[in-house]
Amino acid sequence: MPASLCLLRLSALGDVTHVLPLLHTLRTHLPQARMHWIIDRAGYKLLEDVPGVEFHVYDKNTGLAGMRALRRQLPGQPFDALLQMQVAFRANVLSAFVPARRRIGYDRSRSKDLHGLFINERIPDRPGIHVLDAIGSFCEPLGFKQDRVVWDFPISEPAHEWASAQWPADGTPVLMISPCSSHVRRNWYADRYAALADHAAERGWRVVLCGGRSELERQTSDAIIAAMRQPVLDLVGKDTLKQLPALLQRADLLVSPDSGPMHIANAVGTAVLGLHAASNPLRSGPYSSVAYCVDRYDAAARKFLGKPASELKWGSKIEFDEVMDLVTVNDAIAAFERYRHDHGR
């Protein structure tokens, strides 16, 4: 059994949260193994409190010089196994700077950017599975399976204290809206968010907006607020990445396109109403809340690509300018009402 492992997954925020169940599985089966994780700066800020792992931060802007510097940080002896969980060309090249006897990578169907040249073993080829389950497959070449999905997401007490101070714990259910993805074509429209938010507020829910400090997120949130008839708590740009998981955990239901906050909310146990047309929720939606997603991926495939989703390569994105037109307010309200029905809210 391996005594030392190196995990390589740099980004994005949603994807690094998908590594946490794998890490739990590895700790369960290999409690004495030394765990290292090569990650990017944002992922490290989010997960630096994960216990039992030595992180090595790589900044993609440092190029080859940063890769050489990373190599000097790593132990002198080769790892028993490298789990190379990112197929982008930069990550593949970075993996060459990691000494390891076994270099485990993706199956051929998920490989790209010369991934196969940098590995000597592959995970099983299972088409049509969620990203989290594909990442979970990386323990199988080591001799065991991920049969439970446990995140154990670390949230600091100061983060909990900050989140608790934002609104009173008075029993009012909370609909949180994180309106923006880093991929603009995945984003829904401000007037439609506002209509859903008003619907929730009229049914006694507290509505909270969250998001980062980008100009797009500020403009989108301002437009939502301007279009709403009901009150809303605006926390956009007010939290840090460390505080975000605690904030999301206080919500009953998060509304979001395919984004990092969607997956972080899922990882801390908050239900997610995902808005999907550009991406397939069965592959990259909120792992535990697909039942509350609006899924217009097949309609998008037929409209923009002229074929059903079943004929697309698994993982295909349909990122066209008007793809999110397919997600209507009625779709989102119906998903919201499903959640209310299931949870008595």
Side-chain angles (χ1 to χ4, degrees):
M1 300 297 283
S4 61
L5 290 172
C6 183
L7 287 63
L8 196 162
R9 181 78 209 196
L10 300 172
S11 61
L13 290 178
D15 290 313
V16 297
T17 67
H18 291 149
V19 177
L20 292 179
L22 171 65
L23 188 60
H24 180 270
T25 302
L26 293 172
R27 283 204 199 103
T28 299
H29 290 271
L30 302 169
Q32 304 304 319
R34 299 183 301 279
M35 302 284 180
H36 296 249
W37 185 345
I38 299 172
I39 197 168
D40 70 356
R41 289 185 181 278
Y44 177 66
K45 287 180 182 178
L46 182 67
L47 299 178
E48 63 179 311
D49 294 329
V50 172
V53 181
E54 183 173 346
F55 285 100
H56 305 276
V57 178
Y58 173 71
D59 182 348
K60 65 181 182 181
N61 296 318
T62 61
L64 287 172
M67 294 181 188
R68 288 192 289 267
L70 176 74
R71 173 64 185 90
R72 292 192 291 271
Q73 295 177 26
L74 298 176
Q77 295 298 316
F79 293 104
D80 290 325
L82 166 69
L83 308 186
Q84 164 51 334
M85 296 179 284
Q86 194 154 1
V87 297
F89 182 70
R90 179 187 289 110
N92 287 328
V93 174
L94 177 61
S95 73
F97 288 80
V98 181
R101 298 179 179 88
R102 302 174 66 183
R103 313 181 70 84
I104 302 169
Y106 280 101
D107 52 277
R108 295 184 187 280
S109 65
R110 291 180 177 83
S111 295
K112 62 179 182 179
D113 292 348
L114 306 179
H115 184 67
L117 299 180
F118 296 88
I119 61 175
N120 55 27
E121 295 182 58
R122 295 182 183 271
I123 63 172
D125 187 357
R126 293 195 186 97
I129 62 175
H130 194 278
V131 171
L132 184 146
D133 291 322
I135 289 175
S137 299
F138 273 82
C139 64
E140 294 186 31
L142 302 176
F144 41 90
K145 288 191 175 184
Q146 181 170 290
D147 53 10
R148 293 179 62 225
V149 174
V150 178
W151 279 273
D152 284 339
F153 200 103
I155 303 177
S156 69
E157 191 57 36
H160 278 302
E161 291 172 358
W162 180 87
S164 296
Q166 302 311 305
W167 66 83
D170 55 7
T172 302
V174 174
L175 178 70
M176 189 171 290
I177 299 175
S178 178
C180 295
S181 163
S182 58
H183 300 268
V184 176
R185 288 170 172 166
R186 298 181 191 174
N187 291 345
W188 210 30
Y189 309 115
D191 60 328
R192 299 189 187 189
Y193 279 122
L196 173 63
D198 281 336
H199 176 87
E202 287 162 3
R203 280 145 186 81
W205 285 55
R206 177 179 282 111
V207 178
V208 180
L209 289 176
C210 72
R213 294 171 174 79
S214 72
E215 183 177 351
L216 173 65
E217 288 168 291
R218 185 66 267 164
Q219 290 176 348
T220 302
S221 300
D222 287 343
I224 293 170
I225 295 167
M228 285 184 63
R229 302 184 306 272
Q230 300 292 329
V232 57
L233 175 59
D234 179 13
L235 296 180
V236 173
K238 296 181 180 179
D239 63 305
T240 65
L241 195 54
K242 296 282 289 182
Q243 293 166 338
L244 176 61
L247 190 66
L248 293 169
Q249 194 175 57
R250 286 205 70 197
D252 292 274
L253 181 65
L254 173 76
V255 179
S256 178
D258 189 352
S259 66
M262 165 186 283
H263 299 294
I264 297 168
N266 182 83
V268 298
T270 297
V272 180
L273 195 169
L275 305 170
H276 292 267
S279 60
N280 185 350
L282 298 179
R283 176 188 177 272
S284 59
Y287 188 82
S288 305
S289 299
V290 173
Y292 304 118
C293 287
V294 176
D295 182 2
R296 292 291 173 259
Y297 182 70
D298 182 69
R302 293 173 187 273
K303 178 175 180 177
F304 293 99
L305 302 178
K307 62 180 73 173
S310 60
E311 294 182 10
L312 301 182
K313 182 180 178 182
W314 187 253
S316 296
K317 302 293 193 300
I318 311 173
E319 294 179 334
F320 290 81
D321 285 341
E322 288 138 14
V323 69
M324 291 301 285
D325 287 354
L326 297 171
V327 178
T328 68
V329 172
N330 286 339
D331 289 333
I333 288 176
F336 173 73
E337 291 299 331
R338 282 200 305 276
Y339 175 85
R340 287 185 68 212
H341 176 269
D342 290 349
H343 294 82
R345 306 308 296 265

